[in-house]
Amino acid sequence: MVSILKKAIMAVTGLGWFVYVVLHLAGNLLLFKGPETYNAYSEFLVSNPLIIPAELGLLVFLVAHLASAWRVTRENSAARPQPYLERVLSRRGGTTSASGWFSTFASRTMWYGGVLLLFFLILHVWMFKYGDRSGAHGLWGLVVRSFKNPWISAIYIAAMLPLGFHLSHGFASALQTLGLLKPRWYPGVRRLSQVVGWVLAAGFILLPLWALLFAEV
Ligand code: HEM
């Protein structure tokens, strides 16, 4: 398959997941509101007829994202040691600053960070989607009691670091691959992408931290 098509698949499926992650964080911030609101939100999602197509879509996007990322990573390391966006940015002097270092680190660790996120996702879905929510306070209780275990909170917080790096690079990179950016926008969009990536990661980190330290269940 032509390389540009694989990259476009990686970009579109990555952006699809990005939208899901934004919505998922917004929904999960309802954890702060307490069991009634949070469980009602989850009920609303689970009882929605669109949930099954949405879940299937997420799964297909995940598999396509992984498969195209695997092929692109292999081709890049064989033929081109530095990804395109990184080369453009480093030519502009971006890699000499601290944020340039972050961006280089993020772009070089996309594959390994992505694999870590996949392990996180398997553990996460097993814990919460298939976890036992029949105890006190339903799903809210399951989530908060899980985070009361410092090890589980630590795993969640640690997993948000690869998420922050992955989104920081992936968001700008996907827009660029799809030809949605003018070259003069690259530095600005790269910074925006870093802010968005780390705001999302920080938002997810707040949930286990709050449950561990402040929530009463
Ligand atoms: C502290 C952070 C998070 C919390 C508290 C949380 C909470 C939850 C809960 C409660 C569910 C089960 C929902 C239900 O069945 O009604 C769920 C499912 C899920 N979460 Fe998270 N989540 C977090 C972070 C993430 C992150 C970072 C990702 C992706 C990178 C993610 C991806 C998913 C996916 C794919 C599902 C399955 C959705 C489905 O099949 O309907 N979650 N999450």
Side-chain angles (χ1 to χ4, degrees):
M1 208 197 302
V2 232
S3 185
I4 190 68
L5 184 59
K6 277 177 267 181
K7 285 190 175 173
I9 293 174
M10 187 164 71
V12 168
T13 52
L15 286 175
W17 265 84
F18 176 82
V19 170
Y20 173 75
V21 165
V22 172
L23 297 177
H24 195 53
L25 175 59
N28 272 294
L29 289 175
L30 295 175
L31 206 67
F32 299 132
K33 288 267 193 186
E36 263 178 40
T37 315
Y38 189 74
N39 294 341
Y41 168 70
S42 156
E43 246 343 282
F44 163 74
L45 284 187
V46 184
S47 57
N48 192 314
L50 290 177
I51 188 77
I52 301 287
E55 284 177 349
L56 282 177
L58 270 181
L59 191 62
V60 170
F61 269 36
L62 183 65
V63 172
H65 191 71
L66 264 170
S68 51
W70 166 246
R71 300 287 298 274
V72 169
T73 306
R74 270 186 18 176
E75 279 169 23
N76 274 352
S77 58
R80 252 182 11 186
Q82 264 186 315
Y84 178 71
L85 183 61
E86 191 187 316
R87 273 190 295 149
V88 172
L89 294 169
S90 65
R91 238 186 273 136
R92 291 163 169 252
T95 46
T96 52
S97 63
S99 84
W101 181 89
F102 252 62
S103 131
T104 308
F105 181 81
S107 78
R108 294 215 172 128
T109 53
M110 286 307 269
W111 173 256
Y112 296 104
V115 171
L116 283 177
L117 288 173
L118 181 65
F119 284 121
F120 161 77
L121 214 53
I122 294 169
L123 172 78
H124 174 57
V125 169
W126 171 72
M127 276 181 70
F128 290 160
K129 188 172 163 63
Y130 299 106
D132 179 8
R133 51 184 81 179
S134 62
H137 305 306
L139 181 63
W140 185 91
L142 168 68
V143 173
V144 172
R145 275 192 300 276
S146 304
F147 289 150
K148 284 282 177 205
N149 178 333
W151 289 106
I152 293 185
S153 273
I155 290 173
Y156 267 73
I157 292 167
M160 293 310 108
L161 299 181
L163 182 76
F165 280 114
H166 206 82
L167 298 180
S168 300
H169 178 74
F171 182 60
S173 188
L175 296 179
Q176 202 259 330
T177 297
L178 296 175
L180 300 174
L181 303 179
K182 294 192 171 145
R184 69 189 156 89
W185 296 351
Y186 293 168
V189 173
R190 179 179 55 129
R191 271 191 292 277
L192 175 75
S193 188
Q194 286 179 340
V195 171
V196 169
W198 288 107
V199 164
L200 290 170
F204 279 117
I205 286 175
L206 279 181
L207 299 166
L209 266 188
W210 168 80
L212 179 68
L213 302 175
F214 304 112
E216 284 172 26
V217 65

